[in-house]
Amino acid sequence: MTVTIRKCIDDKVLSAYIDEDLNQEHTAEVTTHLATCSECKQIVTDLKILKTDLARSFHVRPKRNLWPVIDKKLSSDWEGVSMARLWLPRLLPIPLAAAAVLSLVLLQRPDEQSPVPPLPSATELDRAITTVQQAEMAYLNAIVSLERVLENEKASFSPKTLKIVEQSLAEIETAIERCRKAILRDPSNMEANRAMLAAYRQKMDFLYELVGSRIRPKGA
Amino acid sequence: MTDKNNQDDSRLVKRCQKRDKRALEHLYARHHGVLYAMALRMTGQVADAEDIVQESFIRAWKALPNFRGETTFRNWLLRIGINLCRNMHKRKKETVKLQDIPAPANDSDTLARNWLEKALSKLPDGYREVLVLHDVMDLRHVEIAEVLGLSVGTSKSQLHRARIKMRDLLITKRNAGDSLHTAKMRRYR
């Protein structure tokens, strides 16, 4: 129930009075009135008490430092994006049908003005993720076959060549692993998914360069 | 805020826009207290206020590339925080009944802190926001108008209504306390 107190001065004016928001003449009028009117004086007293207590309640600080939590959340979002940017410049084109579908579904690479792209819908994401998984399987199958051939052919490589081959493969594998970790944290991170597929493609092409001539076509 | 503070913030914002996270950490150090105080008064819960501070800075980081300096960083951050408070309040839809608000411990000088927080939660969102920004955080009406997207006149009007509503809550509890005392006294005569 709201209690109505008969008042002589509009309470809007009294509210402005306690904020010292009235001109000098008006302030003087109100002050003079308050000296003789207990009802208006009570209103002003109550409003001042409320204002003082609210102002006092400002001096609160968080009990713990929240920055580490913020930093961690920002880092986990940022790593996937920066990882993708590390590899994207080195990418070869991705001709597989799955990757072509992926590029239609996914958003374009963000430009420098808007590094945070808008998110695709949940359906688009699910479709894209399934497509990525299919593409990953396709690459892995191809790579396994090529690695088997490479294993048989290693004996014909010079030690220097073998060292370069192994270093290059290790580098690509590290990149794939980083992308996988980013995807584990956030499966919908499309930048990381694209980067991972691109790295698989790079590995496959590299292996094919090494041993492609040794692979007999089917039926031959 | 002083002009120098605003200039320092502008430099930090530009570094953030170049994705320098240390600049955001500096902005956090400068503004998290104000944001936390606002969130705590709006939500009344420490855990909720902490969540709002964290989420506000994360959203600020993501949106900073599009920040053009139309307002100060502080007011822009407060706006993010207030929107989060509103969303949280809608989700929780806490309804505090008047009789659930305990009477102030001593209403001649000070109000009990818990009464203050619960009474604030009873106010409509708009009243509470202006009251907190003005009386808790000492923002001027021009700044409040900027943060909340209101006119200065509306800000003043909302503040006045918020104060009267808070006073009404105070008086109602005072009178309820008096009635109880009188009834008890009658029983023993």
Side-chain angles (χ1 to χ4, degrees), chain A residues 33-147:
Chain A
H33 175 78
L34 291 178
T36 56
C37 179
S38 58
E39 287 172 11
C40 288
K41 192 176 175 184
Q42 183 63 53
I43 295 173
V44 167
T45 303
D46 288 343
L47 293 182
K48 278 185 176 173
I49 289 170
L50 283 166
K51 185 177 176 180
T52 306
D53 284 333
L54 282 166
R56 250 187 237 145
S57 73
F58 175 65
H59 297 289
V60 288
R61 289 276 174 198
K63 287 180 181 158
R64 56 191 183 103
N65 180 11
L66 301 171
W67 176 253
V69 177
I70 296 168
D71 189 25
K72 195 175 171 187
K73 284 184 184 176
L74 290 176
S75 296
S76 63
D77 285 347
W78 186 236
E79 196 170 302
V81 174
S82 62
M83 190 65 248
R85 292 218 174 116
L86 180 68
W87 279 96
L88 280 171
R90 300 196 207 170
L91 296 184
L92 299 170
I94 307 173
L96 284 184
V101 170
L102 190 67
S103 66
L104 283 174
V105 169
L106 295 177
L107 297 164
Q108 292 186 1
R109 181 174 179 232
D111 61 21
E112 294 305 309
Q113 270 76 45
S114 53
V116 182
L119 294 175
S121 67
T123 314
E124 283 173 337
L125 272 176
D126 285 346
R127 207 181 332 137
I129 289 168
T130 306
T131 309
V132 166
Q133 286 168 350
Q134 287 168 350
E136 188 182 4
M137 283 317 299
Y139 278 127
L140 282 171
N141 287 338
I143 286 166
V144 162
S145 302
L146 289 165
E147 279 177 338

Side-chain angles (χ1 to χ4, degrees), chain B residues 81-98:
Chain B
I82 279 176
N83 283 333
L84 286 167
C85 289
R86 283 174 184 166
N87 294 341
M88 189 177 274
H89 200 245
K90 269 184 209 159
R91 278 200 309 271
K92 291 194 168 184
K93 285 189 194 278
E94 280 178 0
T95 49
V96 177
K97 293 190 181 139
L98 191 56

Side-chain angles (χ1 to χ4, degrees), chain B residues 58-91:
Chain B
I58 288 167
R59 287 194 184 198
W61 174 251
K62 289 179 179 172
L64 268 169
N66 297 324
F67 178 68
R68 298 284 173 255
E70 306 90 350
T71 178
T72 62
F73 175 78
R74 185 194 69 168
N75 289 352
W76 182 73
L77 186 69
L78 283 173
R79 195 186 295 172
I80 293 174
I82 279 176
N83 283 333
L84 286 167
C85 289
R86 283 174 184 166
N87 294 341
M88 189 177 274
H89 200 245
K90 269 184 209 159
R91 278 200 309 271

Side-chain angles (χ1 to χ4, degrees), chain B residues 37-159:
Chain B
M38 183 278 295
L40 186 60
R41 289 298 147 243
M42 292 290 191
T43 63
Q45 302 284 337
V46 167
D48 289 346
E50 287 182 351
D51 284 346
I52 282 171
V53 169
Q54 288 167 25
E55 188 60 28
S56 295
F57 276 96
I58 288 167
R59 287 194 184 198
W61 174 251
K62 289 179 179 172
L64 268 169
N66 297 324
F67 178 68
R68 298 284 173 255
E70 306 90 350
T71 178
T72 62
F73 175 78
R74 185 194 69 168
N75 289 352
W76 182 73
L77 186 69
L78 283 173
R79 195 186 295 172
I80 293 174
I82 279 176
N83 283 333
L84 286 167
C85 289
R86 283 174 184 166
N87 294 341
M88 189 177 274
H89 200 245
K90 269 184 209 159
R91 278 200 309 271
K92 291 194 168 184
K93 285 189 194 278
E94 280 178 0
T95 49
V96 177
K97 293 190 181 139
L98 191 56
Q99 51 265 37
D100 291 342
I101 303 177
N106 175 1
D107 63 1
S108 59
D109 282 330
T110 59
L111 300 168
R113 183 177 294 278
N114 60 344
W115 181 88
L116 197 58
E117 284 172 358
K118 287 190 177 167
L120 273 174
S121 72
K122 185 81 178 128
L123 296 180
D125 286 351
Y127 290 8
R128 183 174 56 254
E129 286 162 7
V130 174
L131 186 63
V132 167
L133 290 175
H134 189 276
D135 286 359
V136 176
M137 302 173 63
D138 203 27
L139 263 65
R140 293 168 297 146
H141 285 292
V142 167
E143 293 174 301
I144 293 169
E146 209 173 70
V147 171
L148 297 180
L150 307 169
S151 67
V152 168
T154 303
S155 175
K156 289 183 178 178
S157 178
Q158 299 273 59
L159 176 67

